[in-house]
Amino acid sequence: MNNRVDLVEKITPWRESWKVHVKVVKLWYHKNPALDPSQNLLHMVLMDEKLHKIQATIRDKLIPNFAVSLTEGEVYLMTHFTVVPNTGLNRAVKHRFRLLFQYKTSVVSVVSIRIPHSGLCFTSIDEIDQRTKDDDFLIDFVGIITGVRKERDVASYGKMIKAVVLEVFSDGKKVQCNVFGNACDLLEYDNLQKYPRSLLIVLESFKIKAIEGGVMLQNVMNVSRLFINPDIPESVEFLSRFSVASYGFSRLVTNELGYLVSKVDGDFFNPKEISNIQDLCADNGDGHYFVIGTIKEVMDEPDWWYYSCVCGHVVVEHEDLYLFDACGSCIEHVMVK
């Protein structure tokens, strides 16, 4: 019996007897109303232990054979595919080829192998700014929401859909992001304003669009996803890169035009805002404070810092778990603040 497992990066069309251990990092159904609105396809992004990814597609007639066996985030042993060129205007991965499931394709759940990585691979804002034309490959991006503007509903294949324009900040720059369809439900003003601090957003599988004078990001309906303050290691890693002395973000508030905005202050230090210790003792609110003083002693007791979730709320450590203080829900990834 051949127990050899192939690497995703080695897959080519020259044979069908491929055997891979892969995690389903993304799964979505998609119809193309411009071609055949009755034809349903099930797409996946698969990732192996080396973090190499490839897209796989299940045609309409085969979906009932496999859909019940596939769960996003789980690891499988998969064998026997048709391998075809990875073409199209919205490619979720950069692999040269993609997999087509056949009747004889085998999918077996594997519990002995874990691939903990989320599969997200963030493109920097500098890389985005360098693009001069629409890109066929979809990208992941992470940043801080600094603006939200609702637009009028737009027509799409005979239906009216929602539209929202975001302004997202990362590494000292801002980029516009257009969001259409059901993804706008997550961007309702009331929902965004309930958070006590500026919001981190993860954009998964978004398209880079060239516009006059620059570029912007745009979602592909039924493919792209966005996440607000997700409880993942990448959120903590991104927020940890921001120094208090470098940027300050206000919470989202409504401006005179009715849009949501968050002030980003690159020169955050203001000599007029220097506080003394008495002021700190009298103020119970969260915020950034500037105090001039002399260090008299370094305390060993951990009473001057706390654990926080990505949203900014206090979490409590309890038997190797972190619990959100307000409701008791479990948080996996925390920051020290």
Side-chain angles (χ1 to χ4, degrees), residues 150-161:
K150 290 183 180 179
E151 298 287 349
R152 293 180 179 178
D153 291 356
V154 298
S156 174
Y157 298 105
K159 296 181 180 180
M160 300 301 293
I161 60 173

Side-chain angles (χ1 to χ4, degrees), residues 57-109:
T57 299
I58 304 176
R59 294 190 181 96
D60 191 72
K61 293 182 179 180
L62 292 179
I63 289 177
N65 296 1
F66 296 101
V68 295
S69 305
L70 295 166
T71 303
E72 194 170 292
E74 297 298 320
V75 178
Y76 300 91
L77 174 64
M78 299 184 179
T79 58
H80 295 100
F81 317 93
T82 300
V83 183
V84 298
N86 185 22
T87 59
L89 298 178
N90 300 310
R91 285 172 272 178
V93 298
K94 292 189 175 181
H95 199 293
R96 292 174 56 204
F97 305 104
R98 74 169 63 193
L99 307 177
L100 295 180
F101 275 43
Q102 308 172 353
Y103 280 103
K104 65 178 180 179
T105 299
S106 172
V107 177
V108 179
S109 179

